[in-house]
Amino acid sequence: TMPEVQVRPDIVTYSILMDVVSEFQGWPGALGLLGELRFAALRPDDKAFGSVLGACARTPLGGSSGRGGGGSISGWEAALALLQEMTEERLAWDVVALGAAIAACGRTGRWAWALWLLGRAPSAHGLVPSGAAVGAAVLGCLDAGEWQQALQAFADIVARGGVPDAASHSGMLLEAEQRGLLSCEIGLLL
């Protein structure tokens, strides 16, 4: 007979499992595996947190899960809590984690949180947010009818050397056109 071998999952195995499980169970499944990882006496790294944050960003609108104290939290709330945990564990945020948290906030109408993260990242973490992160914040503002906030965020990120994605650029152009802001449209095109 073949000898039985027990393999203990490592941090990489858990991170891969989080990505796979999140496709079927969403962020709550990935978050559960983060808990199991800790129970297995492993310390989560930025990749493990990034896997769960990515799942939060993909949460269907209005998606939430029961967690702790009988209440329920949404994917955007979980994303903010995960960034806080990363800070407490002295793990640096990276562009992927930041972008996922901004997307989780922006696509669920939490535009103020998305803007807060967008504004905080460069000063607190030395990150230049990705074009997709900028787009998530800008489009979150536009979807909420906060076009002035979107325009300000767009201008601020461009002034800091960031490059907004095509979706946010298109969204801003459309908004400027609908509001008759010709000078703004010209500025966006330049």
Side-chain angles (χ1 to χ4, degrees):
T1 70
M2 193 174 220
E4 190 174 305
V5 177
Q6 289 193 353
V7 178
R8 185 171 181 242
D10 62 5
I11 191 77
V12 174
T13 307
Y14 274 103
S15 293
I16 292 168
L17 281 172
M18 286 178 208
D19 286 335
V20 172
V21 166
S22 72
E23 291 298 320
F24 300 99
Q25 297 178 2
W27 67 267
L31 189 61
L33 283 172
L34 187 66
E36 286 185 32
L37 182 150
R38 287 186 172 122
F39 186 74
L42 294 171
R43 183 175 182 261
D45 63 5
D46 58 337
K47 304 296 183 247
F49 277 102
S51 292
V52 183
L53 282 161
C56 291
R58 294 186 300 272
T59 298
L61 297 179
S64 64
S65 171
R67 178 181 173 209
S72 66
I73 65 170
S74 298
W76 69 272
E77 293 170 304
L80 294 176
L82 288 164
L83 287 180
Q84 180 63 35
E85 285 182 45
M86 286 181 76
T87 300
E88 290 168 1
E89 296 203 19
R90 301 200 188 317
L91 291 172
W93 297 3
D94 62 11
V95 173
V96 174
L98 174 66
I102 289 172
C105 293
R107 67 186 306 270
T108 56
R110 301 310 191 266
W111 60 269
W113 281 108
L115 291 181
W116 181 81
L117 288 169
L118 195 62
R120 183 169 189 260
S123 59
H125 298 277
L127 297 174
V128 175
S130 69
V134 174
V138 167
L139 293 175
C141 290
L142 291 174
D143 288 345
E146 297 291 335
W147 67 270
Q148 300 96 334
Q149 297 288 339
L151 183 59
Q152 186 63 53
F154 191 92
D156 287 349
I157 206 69
V158 169
R160 286 189 259 155
V163 180
D165 67 353
S168 61
H169 221 137
S170 296
M172 288 305 309
L173 279 170
L174 181 62
E175 192 69 32
E177 182 179 337
Q178 289 175 346
R179 296 196 178 276
L181 303 171
L182 182 59
S183 63
C184 181
E185 283 182 82
I186 293 169
L188 288 168
L189 290 171
L190 298 177

